[in-house]
């Protein structure tokens, strides 16, 4: 197994489970299951036991491995020099399990759907670009940027609204961009996170080839998961593009007052997406946008930025739901944290987070107190306010 | 035949019971070197009443029960030596009350030191507790149960001395309060003026009951904190230096370390002094007092204050000190254990030399580390070794070194701290016979069925 040489080095001190200031446990799967086996240290020790044939690949072991949201809290707070590779160890173990063909049915189904349909929803490719109908968003044809939407933004009804907001906003800001429409396919970030490295490589190479053929050099993503794949994983496969999350493009535009934002009175708390924040170190761009909106009060949650609590959707869990269910599921915990700030809007910058938190708000019966809006949707509201 | 897993699930909920091989593997061991032994069940309760039900079930069915905090003793104290039920306490993690004026806090039995620190940082910035340097996940209850030490130990004694009340579930399943809280809504005293019954539980490693609430004394938190390091190559003078320092009553905490790496540390003893103050004047006054008290040693060229590099200060001032855990990976092997006897301060030189001898004899990376307890009343001395988990031979050499270190300290007049099962046996053998009989009487009366963390403090 890759990274096998470091699995014995975990002392299981447990710093990986916490926030940096220890205010709470911050590993989503540990927080839900509360057995040490579901913590990063637990996984390290159990992977070693599995490699040493002291335990078998069981349903429980699969749940332990695949309930990791790859949120990188452990990487952020582990005190050891191998901390950067913690999630890599878990992905390597998943890869071994995938290679052995012994994985949870939900993971198998996800991978199968991607393999057959190019998306997890089993939807036809020609439906991909339909979110853009009725907007001014154009097909890519040599513009400055490709706007890559991803599977969730292309097919999920809630996320499609975010895609439209992002598209409209970029157009409003005068950014030169286009989309691939039905030529877009899965970026593979979750495929990789679920351990199917062969399929990931196939998807990545397919995308790289298409991007190169079209002369694409700069990519704006709506989804931080795609941003992560393009920025960190594609270069190793020959795909060196300038990758940006859309908030990184919009933040300077908004700060320079190129978009005239009107007064929008609301209390908002920002939920950091793990693949934008901890994985890629971008905490400020979405905040700069929110702070630029007149009248908007931005309140931080106790667990924010490096200490943000994951919505539980990462690492493929958005699709497999291995980590979901029950009142201690991460999205419900996160919504309670957001509600405790007194905010009436949870701002997100990721369609997966949006959907996860939307679901949680309904389950927590907070529909009349709290709503989830993407940063782009909030800006659109500020644009649409009556003067 | 009764299905124990179903009964446990009925008590704590199905999600929080496991008899799966994965949990059995993990909870069979701690990060130290003691042999593993699997539990039959692991449960994660949420309330004291659930613990009562678990203990009633365990009593009826004669099943061993082992309460567990974070499992960070390193000496195998939560390894279920005879199987049974491991009760992981960490879901019981609420901070129930802070009495700011009387300076105490009441927490549930699974609350971590990290969470308590974070709570005080946020809500009670003028209060602090004696945080240990064990990882932040270590629980308050487990720490007092093993007579742990922390940042305020030099001033106020063992962390267990700072307990001001307990709630305990007895092996019978009954629940009782200990201290002033037994007859008052206030948790200000663990005993006085009543008989101090906390001694029936503290130091017993869960062999007499399970702590479900702890009241802990809090202390004034000064606005500023700094660190100085006095370095000497005269181990024989360390006890005198510490004596002078404690006489000033100006120091928050005194730690000493001696280790061969990095090279600049070799052959030196580093007396690390923490000082606090509300103003620059207070801090400078204390610093001056500390410097003055060691002036004689400086003049005789037996030591001096080293300049603490700015890059080193955050590491030293960190609470808990995360660098302590990092010691485990010095050999890129994830292993670290120390035998940490409580010794008379005057035996520091002999113990330090013994660590160095053992490091050399067993070819191990070592560190001698000590914390002063009270005003020089005693010292926790760590014979600390790091090892590689992937190297069984190194692990065996470490075991031997630890065993020799512990026995050396015992012979020198020390007492084992959080002793392994073998060290407990040695301690009981050496102990005054009447004291041993008294311990037996207490154990047999409180736990007549012998179900509580069996093997620990077991007088045969």
């Amino acid at each position: 197994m890759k990274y096998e040489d470091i699995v014995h080095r975990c002392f299981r001190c447990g710093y990986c489970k916490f926030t940096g200031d220890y205010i709470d446990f911050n590993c989503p799967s540990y927080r839900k299951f509360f057995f040490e086996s579901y913590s990063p240290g637990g996984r390290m020790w159990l992977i070693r036991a599995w490699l040493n044939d002291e335990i078998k690949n069981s349903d429980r072991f699969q749940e332990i491995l695949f309930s990791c949201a790859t949120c990188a809290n452990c990487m952020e707070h582990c005190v050891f020099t191998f901390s950067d590779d913690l999630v890599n160890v878990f992905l390597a173990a998943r890869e071994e399990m995938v290679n052995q063909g012994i994985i949870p049915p939900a993971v198998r189904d996800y991978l199968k759907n991607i393999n057959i349909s190019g998306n997890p929803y089993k939807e036809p490719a020609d439906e991909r670009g339909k979110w853009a109908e009725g907007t001014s968003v154009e097909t890519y044809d040599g513009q400055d940027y490709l706007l890559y939407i991803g599977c969730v933004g292309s097919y999920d009804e809630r996320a499609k609204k975010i895609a439209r907001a992002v598209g409209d906003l970029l157009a409003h800001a005068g950014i030169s961009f286009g989309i691939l429409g039905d030529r877009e396919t899965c970026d593979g970030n979750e495929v990789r996170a679920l351990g199917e490295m062969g399929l990931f490589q196939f998807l990545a190479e397919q995308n790289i080839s298409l991007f190169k053929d079209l002369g694409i050099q700069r990519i704006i993503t709506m989804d931080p998961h795609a941003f992560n794949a393009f920025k960190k994983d594609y270069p190793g496969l020959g795909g060196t593009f300038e990758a940006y999350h859309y908030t990184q493009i919009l933040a300077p535009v908004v700060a320079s007052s190129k978009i005239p934002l009107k007064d929008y009175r609301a209390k908002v708390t920002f939920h950091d997406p793990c693949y934008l924040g901890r994985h890629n170190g971008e905490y400020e761009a979405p905040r700069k946008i929110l702070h630029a909106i007149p009248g908007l009060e931005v309140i931080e949650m106790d667990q924010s930025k490096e200490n943000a609590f994951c919505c539980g959707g990462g690492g493929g869990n958005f699709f497999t739901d291995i980590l979901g269910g029950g009142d201690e599921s991460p999205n419900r915990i996160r919504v309670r944290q957001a509600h405790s700030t007194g905010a009436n809007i949870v701002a997100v910058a990721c369609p997966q987070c949006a959907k996860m938190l939307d679901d949680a708000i309904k389950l927590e019966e907070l529909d009349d107190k709290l709503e989830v809006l993407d940063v782009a949707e909030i800006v659109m509201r500020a644009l649409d306010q009556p003067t | 035949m009764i299905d124990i897993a179903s009964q446990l699930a009925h008590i704590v909920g199905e999600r929080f019971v496991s008899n799966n091989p994965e949990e059995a593997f993990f909870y069979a061991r701690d990060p130290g070197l003691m042999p593993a032994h699997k539990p039959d069940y692991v449960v994660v309760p949420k309330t004291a009443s659930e613990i009562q039900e678990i203990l009633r079930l365990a009593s009826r069915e004669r099943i061993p029960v082992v309460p567990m905090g974070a499992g960070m003793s390193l000496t195998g104290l939560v390894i279920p030596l005879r199987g049974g039920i491991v009760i992981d306490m960490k879901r019981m993690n609420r901070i129930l009350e802070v009495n700011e004026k009387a300076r105490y806090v009441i927490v549930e039995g699974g609350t971590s030191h990290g969470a308590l620190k974070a709570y005080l940082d946020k809500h009670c910035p003028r209060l602090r507790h004696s945080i240990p340097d064990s990882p932040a996940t270590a629980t308050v209850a487990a720490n007092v149960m093993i007579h742990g030490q922390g940042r305020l130990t030099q001033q106020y004694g063992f962390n267990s001395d700072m307990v001001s009340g307990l709630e305990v579930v007895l092996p019978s399943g009954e629940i009782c309060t200990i201290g002033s809280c037994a007859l008052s809504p206030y948790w200000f005293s663990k005993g006085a003026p009543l008989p101090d019954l906390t001694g029936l539980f503290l130091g017993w490693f869960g062999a007499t009951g399970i702590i479900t609430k702890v009241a802990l004394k809090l202390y004034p938190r000064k606005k500023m904190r700094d660190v100085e390091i006095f370095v000497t190559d005269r181990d024989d003078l360390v006890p005198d230096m510490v004596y002078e320092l404690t006489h000033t009553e100006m120091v928050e905490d005194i730690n000493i370390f001696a280790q061969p790496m990095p090279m600049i540390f070799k052959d030196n003893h580093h007396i690390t002094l923490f000082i606090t103050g509300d103003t620059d004047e207070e801090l400078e006054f204390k610093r001056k007092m500390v410097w003055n008290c060691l002036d004689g040693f400086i003049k005789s060229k037996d030591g001096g204050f080293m300049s603490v590099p700015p890059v080193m200060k955050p590491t030293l001032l960190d609470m808990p000190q995360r660098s302590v855990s990092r010691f485990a990976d010095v050999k890129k092997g994830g292993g670290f254990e120390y035998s940490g006897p409580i010794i008379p301060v005057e035996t520091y030189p002999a113990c330090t030399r013994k660590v160095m001898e053992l490091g050399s004899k067993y070819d191990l990376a070592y560190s001698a580390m000590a914390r002063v307890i009270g005003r020089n009343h005693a010292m926790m001395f760590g014979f600390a070794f790091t090892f590689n988990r992937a190297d069984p031979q190194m692990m065996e050499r470490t075991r031997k070194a630890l065993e020799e270190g512990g026995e050396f300290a015992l012979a020198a007049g020390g007492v084992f701290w959080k002793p392994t099962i073998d060290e407990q046996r040695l301690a009981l053998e050496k102990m005054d016979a009447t004291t041993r009989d008294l311990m037996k009487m207490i154990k047999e009366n409180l736990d007549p069925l012998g179900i509580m963390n069996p093997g620990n403090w077991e007088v045969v």
Side-chain angles (χ1 to χ4, degrees), chain B residues 174-192:
Chain B
E174 295 163 291
I175 194 160
C176 71
T177 43
I178 306 286
S180 59
C181 59
L183 65 161
S184 159
Y186 296 97
W187 294 54
F188 56 76
S189 169
K190 67 179 176 143

Side-chain angles (χ1 to χ4, degrees), chain A residues 189-366:
Chain A
N189 192 67
E190 308 322 285
V191 171
R192 182 180 174 277
L194 287 167
E196 185 29 295
M197 301 306 175
L199 180 56
F200 169 71
Q201 189 170 335
F202 169 76
L203 292 167
E205 285 173 353
Q206 188 175 276
N207 279 325
I208 291 165
S209 173
L210 178 64
F211 296 168
K212 284 184 174 172
D213 286 350
L214 294 172
I216 292 164
Q217 293 178 334
R218 287 180 286 185
I219 307 170
I220 300 171
T221 72
M222 178 179 101
D223 190 330
H225 297 246
F227 170 58
N228 181 70
F230 296 155
K231 189 176 167 193
K232 292 173 115 172
D233 299 318
Y234 278 35
L237 296 167
T240 310
F241 309 101
E242 285 179 38
Y244 303 92
H245 184 254
Y246 84 86
T247 55
Q248 295 175 313
I249 299 295
L250 276 179
V253 176
V254 170
S256 66
S257 305
K258 279 185 191 162
I259 305 177
L261 297 169
K262 296 171 192 159
D263 197 61
Y264 177 43
R265 304 251 159 217
K267 287 184 182 176
V268 62
T269 187
F270 180 67
H271 163 77
D272 292 273
C274 303
Y275 276 94
L276 185 61
R278 276 188 292 260
H279 278 283
N280 286 292
E282 182 58 83
Y283 300 106
E284 295 311 319
R287 286 180 170 79
K288 276 182 188 162
I289 297 170
L290 294 173
H291 283 290
I293 299 173
L296 199 69
E297 185 184 346
V298 183
I299 312 164
E300 290 289 349
M301 286 184 264
D302 281 345
Q303 288 159 253
S304 70
K305 299 185 179 177
E306 291 87 348
N307 294 320
F309 187 67
C310 171
C311 71
N317 279 282
F318 178 80
F319 302 102
T320 62
D321 203 28
I322 292 168
L323 186 51
D327 58 3
E328 292 300 296
S329 58
N331 56 343
R332 293 181 66 174
I333 293 171
R334 191 56 168 165
V335 158
R336 294 198 289 268
Q337 291 173 355
H339 180 53
S340 72
T341 64
N344 50 14
I345 295 172
V346 193
V348 295
C350 167
Q352 300 190 35
C353 295
K355 181 88 174 156
M356 293 296 291
L357 298 181
D358 253 349
D359 291 349
I361 280 177
K362 292 183 189 83
L363 291 165
E364 291 287 316
E365 297 178 351
L366 290 169

